[in-house]
Amino acid sequence: MLIAIYVVSIGLMILIPAALAGALRRFSPAPWLLFGIGCLTFTVSQVVHLPLNQWLADLGILPAATSSDIPIFQVAAVAGLSAGVCEELARAAGYALLRRFRPAWLDLPGAAMLGLGHGGFEAMTFGAVLTAATAGALIPLIGTDLGKLGLDARMTAALLAQLAAFTAHPWNGFYPLAERIIAISAHTVFSLMVWKAFTGGGFRRNWFYLPLAILYHAAIDFAAVAGMHFIPDQPALLELIFAGLMIPGYAWAAWQIRGFRREQPAAPAGGSLGAELGIFWTATRKEFIQLWKTNRILVAGAVFLVFGMGSPLLAKLIPEIFKSVAGMEQFATLIPTPTAADAMAQYVKNLSQFGFLLAILLGMGAVVGEKERGVAPMILSKPMPRWAFLASKFVSQGLLYLACLVLSGAGAYYYTAVLFEPVKLDSFLLMNLLFWLWLMTFVSLALLASTLGKSTVSAGGIAIGLAVVFLLAGSIPRYGLLLPGALIGWAAQIGAESALSAAASGMSAASAGALASAAAVVVLSLILSIGAFEQQEL
């Protein structure tokens, strides 16, 4: 039950920001691209905020890793103020750019969308990914002998206390979700306050809203830091305190919304949701027909099936291949006798090397190809919501690769059983599921590249560039283990476990965070694709 609660909590941290933004779109035409701008303002704020806190720690104003004798009220005040200054000034910079290049977007729904992007990106990264990494690190330790970990007495006591708090009650897994929901609403209020500084004839008239937002933000963070120090074992009370402190902000935001609706009543942005979902399923069926008529289903299925069946064969025949080559017989004796674990390792290696290339090659022309042929304007004139146009392509490709993995998995499982021995089916299925999620990150990135590119060639370049960035980011010490690339390492380890019946270890914490980050990359890529596509004229 504990695992299920954390899975639901982490999943909702990723999905709720997108759902709230979608609900806002039902009542206003706020551009989806503002969600992406909100993500950017949060990223920029952290680029300044994290080094700033490190500098303050070096000066002795904030606690360093080796000392913590600074008064808690000083820590709370300084940390809260640094967060407020960095995040609200980054938000203000975003509004300044919008006022210059997109002044029509500077309205209340646009400010709310930007706030949802800012708070939503924080919920996906600092919320979902870090919560998943923490839960993934602690769950395998439940019921184990911590003395075997080789930790000193102080670290063992701290880990025992953390495990006790983690397992005190399964429903505690929803507290991180509650905190993120309150934080998203707070960021929306702060976004409205900073937006208010840029209305009413210019920044000079309402400038005071910016320092007000900074101080309000600092006050909330002050309460968070102080509360975590004085009542760390009462998370429900902490969440009630945060929600109570936000009541004045909620009331002010409700007053602003009421005034905006009175002055400019907003009409719904589109038709009924049920009708749009019907169009989406029709578009998805059209995508499957197109995949079949262009033989992409056959090509992808054949490639995956060959690699699935060929991986155990290659693992079995490598020693024989060396023996058959003149002059290589001596090296054949150095190769250990192949096992089912070698077949699984070869399977993961082959699919990870060629799977993402196939995802990019098949996905890079999904949107730009139809724009070049003039098909997209004709389809969208039906009318079809642009989100349905893009989502149908993503879903159809996702189901295509799921079917391909079923083929490759069946081939690999059968030939491994024939040539070696049967592997554990549940672990083998989990390994393929992790690989599918890893593959879907490249599908979503290819769809984003196809939306941004002006030609199939440029879309391919963008897709390959994004893929290379994500693959290289996986080698970053510490942080790389929280990125989607770590799923391959986890899949390889589960493959070894399925063959050797050995307990997996070492990657559990990082791979849980990577699982959440992969889901976040998919959601963000889809939002950015829709946001960019709706701004394009076809």
Side-chain angles (χ1 to χ4, degrees):
M1 183 176 181
L2 181 66
I3 296 176
I5 287 176
Y6 270 94
V7 168
V8 172
S9 179
I10 293 166
L12 289 178
M13 287 186 212
I14 297 172
L15 295 177
I16 282 179
L20 291 175
L24 177 62
R25 285 277 300 188
R26 305 304 303 171
F27 300 99
S28 74
W32 273 105
L33 201 57
L34 282 173
F35 191 98
I37 295 176
C39 297
L40 181 61
T41 60
F42 176 78
T43 303
V44 171
S45 71
Q46 297 309 303
V47 169
V48 178
H49 182 210
L50 297 178
L52 175 61
N53 279 357
Q54 183 60 51
W55 178 64
L56 293 174
D58 294 339
L59 294 177
I61 300 175
L62 287 177
T66 57
S67 63
S68 58
D69 55 350
I70 300 175
I72 184 60
F73 291 108
Q74 175 182 328
V75 174
V78 174
L81 191 59
S82 68
V85 168
C86 293
E87 295 194 39
E88 303 314 319
L89 288 182
R91 219 185 311 254
Y95 283 124
L97 292 175
L98 287 176
R99 187 173 64 174
R100 180 176 178 83
F101 297 105
R102 287 290 189 273
W105 292 1
L106 278 177
D107 57 5
L108 189 144
M113 182 68 82
L114 194 147
L116 288 175
H118 191 110
F121 191 70
E122 183 185 43
M124 295 179 189
T125 53
F126 286 86
V129 174
L130 294 184
T131 300
T134 303
L138 294 177
I139 288 176
L141 298 178
I142 297 175
T144 62
D145 183 6
L146 300 183
K148 297 180 179 180
L149 299 179
L151 304 176
D152 57 36
R154 182 181 61 84
M155 296 180 65
T156 302
L159 185 56
L160 284 172
Q162 191 174 9
L163 278 172
F166 182 74
T167 58
H169 199 288
W171 298 107
N172 288 352
F174 284 120
Y175 284 128
L177 173 63
E179 179 185 354
R180 287 300 100 202
I181 292 175
I182 296 173
I184 291 172
S185 66
H187 279 296
T188 305
V189 172
F190 301 150
S191 183
L192 293 178
M193 295 178 73
V194 177
W195 161 76
K196 193 67 176 178
F198 289 85
T199 61
F203 184 77
R204 293 182 179 179
R205 178 176 176 179
N206 293 328
W207 63 269
F208 59 89
Y209 277 101
L210 179 56
L212 184 61
I214 292 175
L215 293 175
Y216 198 1
H217 192 148
I220 298 298
D221 281 15
F222 176 91
V225 175
M228 288 298 296
H229 177 79
F230 290 109
I231 49 174
D233 55 343
Q234 300 185 47
L237 180 58
L238 278 173
E239 304 307 328
L240 288 175
I241 291 174
F242 298 154
L245 291 173
M246 285 305 305
I247 289 177
Y250 297 152
W252 177 85
W255 178 56
Q256 294 296 321
I257 294 171
R258 181 179 179 184
F260 178 82
R261 295 183 65 181
R262 184 170 58 248
E263 296 174 5
Q264 301 178 10
S272 66
L273 181 59
E276 291 188 5
L277 288 175
I279 295 173
F280 161 72
W281 290 117
T282 301
T284 304
R285 187 168 65 251
K286 169 258 180 190
E287 290 296 326
F288 274 114
I289 295 174
Q290 184 175 348
L291 288 173
W292 176 259
K293 288 187 175 181
T294 56
N295 294 324
R296 294 183 180 181
I297 291 179
L298 297 178
V299 171
V303 170
F304 274 78
L305 183 59
V306 167
F307 282 119
M309 294 188 302
S311 296
L313 286 170
L314 187 60
K316 182 72 173 180
L317 296 177
I318 282 180
E320 302 301 324
I321 293 174
F322 273 88
K323 291 179 182 179
S324 64
V325 178
M328 300 291 290
E329 298 87 351
Q330 57 182 337
F331 296 102
T333 60
L334 300 177
I335 300 176
T337 302
T339 63
D342 297 312
M344 293 295 97
Q346 191 67 46
Y347 177 68
V348 173
K349 179 181 177 181
N350 288 340
L351 291 186
S352 62
Q353 288 180 343
F354 297 98
F356 85 94
L357 287 176
L358 187 63
I360 290 175
L361 291 174
L362 293 183
M364 66 185 189
V367 178
V368 70
E370 295 195 355
K371 289 193 293 184
E372 289 179 323
R373 296 192 303 270
V375 176
M378 184 170 55
I379 293 176
L380 293 172
S381 65
K382 294 304 180 181
M384 176 185 291
R386 296 202 176 194
W387 74 262
F389 180 81
L390 292 176
S392 63
K393 296 182 178 300
F394 176 79
V395 170
S396 61
Q397 291 187 47
L399 294 176
L400 167 64
Y401 291 116
L402 186 62
C404 289
L405 281 172
V406 171
L407 285 176
S408 66
Y413 186 86
Y414 175 75
Y415 273 87
T416 301
V418 170
L419 298 175
F420 301 102
E421 60 183 358
V423 297
K424 294 169 58 178
L425 182 59
D426 54 349
S427 298
F428 183 74
L429 293 176
L430 178 58
M431 178 185 69
N432 282 274
L433 183 61
L434 292 175
F435 184 82
W436 177 77
L437 183 57
W438 175 79
L439 195 63
M440 292 311 295
T441 61
F442 293 99
V443 172
S444 63
L445 291 175
L447 184 64
L448 175 59
S450 185
T451 305
L452 297 176
K454 295 184 179 180
S455 65
T456 303
V457 175
S458 64
I462 295 172
I464 293 174
L466 292 174
V468 169
V469 168
F470 269 80
L471 291 174
L472 292 178
S475 61
I476 299 175
R478 296 174 56 191
Y479 299 104
L481 294 176
L482 295 176
L483 296 177
L487 291 177
I488 292 299
W490 191 15
Q493 191 172 34
I494 290 177
E497 175 193 352
S498 68
L500 303 176
S501 300
S505 62
M507 285 290 294
S508 58
S511 53
L515 197 64
S517 68
V521 167
V522 169
V523 172
L524 289 172
S525 296
L526 290 176
I527 291 176
L528 292 176
S529 299
I530 296 171
F533 192 53
E534 72 176 2
Q535 299 303 316
Q536 298 175 1
E537 299 205 4
L538 304 177

